[in-house]
Amino acid sequence: MLTVSRRDRETSVRIGIVGGGQLALMMGEAAHDLPVTLSVLAASEEDPARRTIPDFLVGAPTDPEALAALAARVDVITLDHELVNLEALAALESHGTLVRPHPAAVRFAADKAHQRQALAAWGLPVPRFGVVTGGDDPELAPFLDAADGPVVVKAATGGYDGRGVFFPDSRAAVTDIVRDLGGVAVIEERLALLGEAAQIVVRDPAGDVVTYPLVSTYQAGGTCVEVDYPARGVDAAAAAAAAALAREIAHRIDAIGVLAVELFWTERGWLVNELALRPHNTGHWTIEGARTSQFANHLRAVAGLPLGPPTPTAPHITMVNVLGGPRATPAPASGPHLGVHDYAKSWRPGRKLGHVTATGAEETPTRVAAWGAARAWGTREEEPWHSSPS
Ligand code: ADP
């Protein structure tokens, strides 16, 4: 097993983060309490992580030279997002740079076709799917015949927050979308969802895993708007099945750090939607709501430090994402049961500006507190009950 070389117990582990977005910003906050020092490779001077990580390099996350410059300053590299150059990271890894998670594992997040094909080959539950390249791919017609109902088309790579996900209303529209996408696309059955959930686990380099509790997630327009602990409408057996599924995936793909598994809850049980190999939006509640946040545990895993307990700190926790409202509005203040996280991004209607987390003893007042703070700041058009994508 590769280990980070520690010159002595006092020396902190130097971690380089590729990407300077809000996840890197929050890793910077978590690093204060840990024996780690952070450097970041950000695409722009304006990126959020500038506020919390002083050692700030500017360069494209896909540029091999910029990645090599980051690698030269640190003991281990990790990621803020997966729109990176996996080949360049794999080349660094093969020359001895520690990259955690491994680029081969990140591919399960960056390439939906690879993820679906590998999970299906392992017998793990995913929607019925096909992988096609171009509108005249001979696999397309047989898949649509067999699907016998509406489908979803997804660009295999490059999509996020609903971008690259399409809900065509006719067979001709499917062909047009696949043709326009140009590259590899995943086509899958359009499911009648009973709900959506997320299961986060954190795996260290020795293979030990901590498991956060399952949470419910609600989307509007392809973007997650609300996350609730405990997951609603899920009994203990189903929650245990989700946790076991995430742990199995973590071991199979040799994840290091956070693995977030986005799940569809259907009449056939859990189906895996997406994987993320980094702190994830559905885990932001852990900053106030768990004994160890996902950010601290990600850094701990990447640095080879012991993982902390994922135990919740309150009976009910709601996280609401704040998207820019019709005009720029200052963020409300945090309170004893309310955490307000401003990503320091310039305002634009619909842009993800931050999030709020409320903790409490009862479900309804906790949700009301979170939505009240979020609406005072932005998010006016986005409501969880607009969650149907069709
Ligand atoms: P992204 O990569 O942009 O996050 P996802 O694949 O997670 O996109 O899809 C975004 C949302 O679209 C999901 O959270 C879900 O609400 C809906 N969705 C995606 N795939 C399906 C499907 N096969 N059936 C029904 N709804 C889906």
Side-chain angles (χ1 to χ4, degrees), residues 228-261:
D228 292 308
Y229 164 80
R232 285 198 241 137
V234 178
D235 61 27
L245 180 55
R247 282 192 294 263
E248 175 165 3
I249 295 170
H251 291 309
R252 290 225 186 228
I253 70 176
D254 194 11
I256 301 178
V258 168
L259 167 69
V261 182

Side-chain angles (χ1 to χ4, degrees), residues 32-278:
H32 290 306
D33 301 328
L34 295 171
V36 301
T37 53
L38 302 186
S39 303
V40 69
L41 172 65
S44 133
E45 294 281 354
E46 316 301 321
D47 278 2
R50 172 131 241 163
R51 280 211 320 199
T52 59
I53 306 180
D55 193 30
F56 192 90
L57 316 185
V58 176
T62 49
D63 175 8
E65 281 185 24
L67 291 169
L70 179 69
R73 304 167 83 85
V74 299
D75 301 309
V76 53
I77 283 186
T78 194
L79 306 178
D80 157 273
H81 60 79
E82 49 273 318
L83 300 177
V84 292
N85 183 339
L86 290 179
E87 290 72 29
L89 286 173
L92 282 175
E93 187 177 48
S94 67
H95 287 97
T97 300
L98 288 184
V99 183
R100 292 175 168 170
H102 302 299
V106 179
R107 200 174 155 216
F108 287 85
D111 182 342
K112 292 180 195 212
H114 175 64
Q115 184 255 91
R116 287 275 187 272
Q117 286 169 327
L119 267 57
W122 291 328
L124 299 177
V126 292
R128 294 185 189 103
F129 73 99
V131 174
V132 295
T133 310
D136 52 6
D137 190 309
E139 301 280 317
L140 186 54
F143 179 83
L144 294 174
D145 292 341
D148 191 29
V151 298
V152 184
V153 180
K154 302 181 176 184
T157 57
Y160 64 98
D161 278 356
R163 271 157 260 187
V165 176
F166 305 90
F167 299 88
D169 53 14
S170 69
R171 203 168 161 124
V174 174
T175 313
D176 289 349
I177 291 166
V178 172
R179 189 197 54 227
D180 292 350
L181 281 174
V184 179
V186 174
I187 305 187
E188 62 191 29
E189 58 180 328
R190 193 179 309 177
L191 296 153
L193 300 178
L194 300 174
E196 295 188 61
Q199 176 65 62
I200 288 183
V201 294
V202 188
R203 185 168 178 271
D204 73 13
D208 289 328
V209 173
V210 298
T211 305
Y212 283 93
L214 186 74
V215 289
S216 295
T217 68
Y218 298 87
Q219 341 288 322
T223 304
C224 173
V225 289
E226 177 178 350
V227 173
D228 292 308
Y229 164 80
R232 285 198 241 137
V234 178
D235 61 27
L245 180 55
R247 282 192 294 263
E248 175 165 3
I249 295 170
H251 291 309
R252 290 225 186 228
I253 70 176
D254 194 11
I256 301 178
V258 168
L259 167 69
V261 182
E262 291 182 33
L263 293 161
F264 293 142
W265 184 226
T266 73
E267 287 163 12
R268 307 204 302 269
W270 295 116
L271 301 178
V272 174
N273 179 25
E274 280 202 285
L275 306 182
L277 276 289
R278 51 166 170 78

